[in-house]
Amino acid sequence: MTEKTFRNKIYWFTFLFSVLVIWVHSYNAVLFLGNTGAAASLVRLERFFGDKIAQIAVPGFFMISSYLFFRGYKPEILMRKWNSRIRSVLVPYIVWNSLYYFGYVIGSRLPYISDVIGKGKIPFGLLETVDAILNYTYNYVFWYLYQLILLILLAPLIYLAVKRVWPGIVFWRSC
């Protein structure tokens, strides 16, 4: 398979998974049809696809990400792979979590906006800032990115397990 064909397949899969993520987060038949009997079957269909079928989206993104990480992987290029993921995953994670946190801190101190936020006055300090940024405290949708970062850090261990190096050692020791 040519590189262009490979990339096109990746783009189509990421497009499909993106549509499924949107589907999971966009139940809206009741908004347009009201809570009527006519809408009930459409709501059930929406829920079936969103709760059953579309749930493959995030695992699908994880599989694509791991495949791309391990494509052409050798232990000696681990640092290059990690450096690449620092720029493409870790930096955006830190930047966006920082923006969210500082937005909440500022917003919680403004009279009318603090009522909309509804969290009271958000504490501000070094420990609170580090906690908010590392643990996605105010940007809950980054749970998946946090998990992806952990998987990237565990990549050498995953590689050994996939290549059956560790299972072989474990079974050899137990005999």
Side-chain angles (χ1 to χ4, degrees):
M1 170 182 338
T2 67
E3 185 67 20
K4 183 179 180 192
T5 304
F6 170 76
R7 291 286 170 194
N8 282 337
K9 287 184 181 197
I10 295 294
Y11 294 144
W12 278 109
F13 274 110
T14 56
F15 173 74
L16 171 67
F17 293 143
S18 298
V19 169
L20 293 177
V21 165
I22 292 167
W23 188 289
V24 167
H25 295 287
S26 65
Y27 301 140
N28 59 13
V30 173
L31 291 175
F32 296 102
L33 301 175
N35 204 359
T36 64
S41 60
L42 186 56
V43 168
R44 279 194 301 279
L45 183 66
E46 223 177 26
R47 295 283 174 187
F48 171 75
F49 278 108
D51 293 343
K52 304 287 187 247
I53 307 298
Q55 293 300 317
I56 67 167
V58 172
F61 279 121
F62 275 48
M63 286 188 285
I64 288 174
S65 180
S66 69
Y67 180 78
L68 292 173
F69 187 88
F70 286 114
R71 185 173 185 233
Y73 178 82
K74 296 178 207 106
E76 54 269 11
I77 64 169
L78 176 63
M79 293 311 290
R80 190 175 73 202
K81 292 274 190 180
W82 274 349
N83 283 332
S84 169
R85 294 327 184 269
I86 285 171
R87 286 189 311 278
S88 65
V89 178
L90 185 61
V91 169
Y93 178 82
I94 290 171
V95 167
W96 280 106
N97 279 334
S98 300
L99 290 173
Y100 266 77
Y101 173 65
F102 292 127
Y104 269 97
V105 167
I106 293 167
S108 72
R109 286 160 173 74
L110 299 174
Y112 296 105
I113 296 176
S114 66
D115 294 338
V116 174
I117 292 174
K119 293 184 180 279
K121 190 174 179 182
I122 303 296
F124 181 68
L126 180 62
L127 292 177
E128 292 86 359
T129 303
V130 169
D131 178 60
I133 293 170
L134 294 182
N135 295 317
Y136 58 94
T137 307
Y138 296 95
N139 193 6
Y140 308 115
V141 297
F142 269 13
W143 66 268
Y144 73 93
L145 210 49
Y146 182 82
Q147 299 299 317
L148 185 60
I149 290 167
L150 291 176
L151 288 171
I152 291 168
L153 289 173
L154 293 172
L157 302 176
I158 295 169
Y159 179 77
L160 291 174
V162 169
K163 288 295 186 178
R164 298 190 188 121
V165 173
W166 276 12
I169 291 171
V170 169
F171 287 120
W172 178 72
R173 291 275 188 200
S174 64
C175 295

